Amino acid sequence: MMSIARQWADYAVRLRYEDLSAEAVYAAKLFLLDSLGCALGGAKTEDFRLLCEVAMELGGRPECTVIGADLRADCRQATLINAVAIRALDYNDVYWRQDPSHPSDLLPAAFTVGEREKRSGKDLLTAIVIAYELEMRMCEAARPGIRELGWHHATLTQFVAPVVAGKMLGLDREQMINAIGIGGAHNATLGAVTAGSLTMMKNTVDPMAVESGVMAALMARRGYRGPETIFEGREGLFSSLGEEWDGERLVAGLGDGFKIAQCSIKLYPSEALTHTPISATLDLVREHDLSPEQIERIEVHTLRRAAEILADPAKYEIDSRETADHSLPYCIAAAVVERELTPRQFAPDKLRDLRILELVSKVVAVLEPSFEARFPEEQPSRVRIILRDGRALERERRFPKGDPRDPLRRDEIQKKFEQLAEGVISADAQRALFDAIDSLETLEDVGALMRLLARST
């Protein structure tokens, strides 16, 4: 039987822009626009600043744009920094089936390498579609998801990133197989990065897997070899991690359609399973004109995994932005007090806001067993707000705004972009970027797109 890596390599090497559906091309442009906006917002964070300082300390060829900075770096460093910028605010897209992942974390392997190699807009769109296709299939393949067994989804990304970078490097089939083997051999990531009190590594491990994937593809282009049966072979992924894998989900029907349009774009800069209860909470707050002083208790009826990730005791101690955006109590409390949840609600002054912190202790996660069978096709949550006058208000949602069944419109994504880009790139650069993305298939050199993302304010 042909190895999974060989089937992936065949798919990636053969796929051309002309093979893409109109729906896939449109979705790729939307996800690129959203991801670049997230990166410009992420360029305002301390995570980003520190990595830029490391890059300047190390030096290297100034061959690639660092988004939101007056800095150019070598391909590996630029990939890492750009991926952290996309990820830093926890505002980029999400796909959750058996495992969660953020396929846009992979995009720097496409556009940063594309800038280095002077690839076209058609090449970039093709690589984006490949990134989403393979990453989303990885999320579906494990039973249970590897997160349930204590591993982070960067463990999935390590297998996909070499393919995305390899596509932009023009690898042939054998080189691509080797790149997958090199990348997949050494990047398994512990779930500890999202457990308890969180650190900057929560947003950095996936970008590090992407950076490593770029290195794997560069090594493979030079002739470096890696194990071909990295998925199904002895002591490969399937036998080493997880309890059961459906390898067919990784390869069945590759090229017959494209999964990218099934991914969600985030309306809130927080962990994915907070989104349905946030949406339900804001529905109630706005509908009944609630103030935090009226509230006695907020019950969030939710999934077991949501309670485990988002409402353990450490998530009531708001010690960092990373903990806050993975804290169900904080996200709900901030949404009630502020009547919105944007990056502003995770600024240092908001993390110390007594009105928010007093409400945090009133938010309780309640396990709802009936929701388990509905997940992951739905991400159900029921919010019950008990008021001091004895009334109880309740709202249930099956999925949040931003889900493909209730998608964000192009103008909503552009508004999100403009808010994130404020103070980083000029209004003229923003307009030029919108035009460039809308006509990306006509762009001859990805570098022209990337240069619009350098700091210009």
Side-chain angles (χ1 to χ4, degrees):
M1 181 180 293
M2 187 183 295
S3 70
I4 290 171
R6 186 167 294 272
Q7 292 178 71
W8 273 23
D10 280 343
Y11 166 73
V13 169
R14 291 178 181 176
L15 191 68
R16 297 289 179 265
Y17 172 80
E18 291 71 24
D19 301 322
L20 306 180
S21 66
E23 179 188 42
V25 170
Y26 181 72
K29 290 179 179 180
L30 287 186
F31 282 109
L32 179 62
L33 174 62
D34 183 66
S35 303
L36 294 177
C38 291
L40 291 166
K44 304 171 187 178
T45 65
E46 185 182 9
D47 318 38
F48 180 86
R49 178 184 64 78
L50 293 174
L51 285 176
C52 287
E53 290 177 359
V54 171
M56 288 185 286
E57 179 183 345
L58 292 174
R61 294 170 56 187
E63 59 189 358
C64 297
T65 301
V66 174
I67 295 173
D70 183 18
L71 173 68
R72 294 180 67 80
D74 68 64
C75 187
R76 279 188 66 181
Q77 293 182 84
T79 295
L80 174 62
I81 301 171
N82 288 336
V84 167
I86 290 173
R87 186 82 198 97
L89 296 177
D90 216 323
Y91 213 175
N92 59 324
D93 56 20
V94 63
Y95 185 71
W96 197 323
R97 287 300 181 260
Q98 296 302 315
D99 274 306
S101 191
H102 309 276
S104 58
D105 289 353
L106 287 148
L107 295 191
F111 59 65
T112 302
V113 176
E115 180 179 19
R116 181 184 194 264
E117 300 294 309
K118 296 181 169 52
R119 295 295 182 183
S120 71
K122 288 183 177 180
D123 294 329
L124 177 57
L125 288 166
T126 307
I128 291 172
V129 170
I130 290 171
Y132 279 75
E133 184 71 24
L134 299 184
E135 186 81 353
M136 291 163 74
R137 285 171 178 264
M138 287 295 294
C139 290
E140 298 171 3
R143 301 288 190 281
I146 62 169
R147 198 217 70 83
E148 301 302 301
L149 301 172
W151 296 92
H152 188 272
H153 60 74
T155 303
L156 309 179
T157 299
Q158 67 177 332
F159 295 92
V160 182
V163 184
V164 181
K167 182 66 174 177
M168 297 305 272
L169 287 169
L171 300 191
D172 63 28
R173 183 176 66 175
E174 296 303 318
Q175 291 170 330
M176 191 74 83
I177 293 167
N178 283 316
I180 295 167
I182 296 166
H186 68 109
N187 286 290
T189 303
L190 296 173
V193 295
T194 55
S197 180
L198 304 187
T199 69
M200 292 175 178
M201 287 306 293
K202 183 258 289 185
N203 295 322
T204 309
V205 287
D206 221 34
M208 292 180 85
V210 177
E211 175 199 19
S212 182
V214 170
M215 184 64 176
L218 288 167
M219 292 166 65
R221 188 164 71 167
R222 290 287 184 177
Y224 222 90
R225 295 163 56 199
E228 178 172 339
T229 57
I230 192 68
F231 291 102
E232 70 277 26
R234 180 181 175 184
E235 298 183 8
L237 175 66
F238 294 172
S239 65
S240 298
L241 298 185
E243 295 177 358
E244 183 181 349
W245 289 84
D246 182 358
E248 273 299 297
R249 286 190 176 265
L250 299 182
V251 295
L254 269 176
D256 294 343
F258 303 101
K259 289 184 175 291
I260 186 169
Q262 300 170 26
C263 194
S264 297
I265 291 179
K266 284 187 174 185
L267 182 59
Y268 311 114
S270 58
E271 201 276 345
L273 292 180
T274 67
H275 285 218
T276 308
I278 292 168
S279 296
T281 299
L282 286 172
D283 287 345
L284 291 172
V285 167
R286 292 164 179 165
E287 182 178 328
H288 297 278
D289 193 25
L290 297 179
S291 68
E293 290 74 23
Q294 294 175 268
I295 295 172
E296 182 68 31
R297 175 183 170 93
I298 301 176
E299 296 177 357
V300 180
H301 296 252
T302 189
L303 298 153
R304 175 183 55 80
R305 71 194 69 205
E308 288 179 352
I309 298 171
L310 306 170
D312 63 279
K315 301 307 189 298
Y316 285 85
E317 300 294 331
I318 310 304
D319 57 2
S320 68
R321 174 176 51 80
E322 291 82 5
T323 296
D325 66 35
H326 268 51
S327 166
L328 181 63
Y330 180 85
C331 290
I332 296 297
V336 170
V337 172
E338 300 279 302
R339 297 193 170 211
E340 64 177 2
L341 199 71
T342 74
R344 288 191 293 273
Q345 278 68 57
F346 295 94
D349 62 319
K350 297 299 180 184
L351 302 185
R352 298 188 298 270
D353 188 319
L354 291 181
R355 292 186 82 209
I356 296 175
L357 295 179
E358 286 172 2
L359 194 57
V360 164
S361 63
K362 298 180 180 181
V363 179
V364 180
V366 180
L367 299 184
E368 176 50 69
S370 68
F371 287 169
E372 299 300 325
R374 294 165 59 183
F375 184 83
E377 291 305 315
E378 297 180 6
Q379 301 90 47
S381 182
R382 183 187 313 117
V383 173
R384 189 166 186 262
I385 300 180
I386 298 94
L387 303 180
R388 290 184 173 178
D389 63 11
R391 288 182 296 152
L393 309 173
E394 192 171 291
R395 182 63 50 87
E396 181 174 322
R397 289 186 65 115
R398 297 164 51 214
F399 43 77
K401 179 71 173 174
D403 183 274
R405 290 160 290 191
D406 188 10
L408 294 180
R409 302 185 308 272
R410 169 64 164 74
D411 63 298
E412 291 176 309
I413 297 170
Q414 183 169 320
K415 181 180 178 181
K416 174 181 170 181
F417 180 102
E418 291 168 346
Q419 292 172 339
L420 289 165
E422 184 178 0
V424 184
I425 64 172
S426 67
D428 287 344
Q430 291 179 43
R431 286 190 290 270
L433 189 72
F434 299 151
D435 291 341
I437 291 175
D438 286 342
S439 58
L440 192 56
E441 62 273 19
T442 68
L443 193 67
E444 294 184 0
D445 183 355
V446 170
L449 175 75
M450 297 307 297
R451 286 189 288 274
L452 295 170
L453 292 156
R455 178 173 283 276
S456 56
T457 61

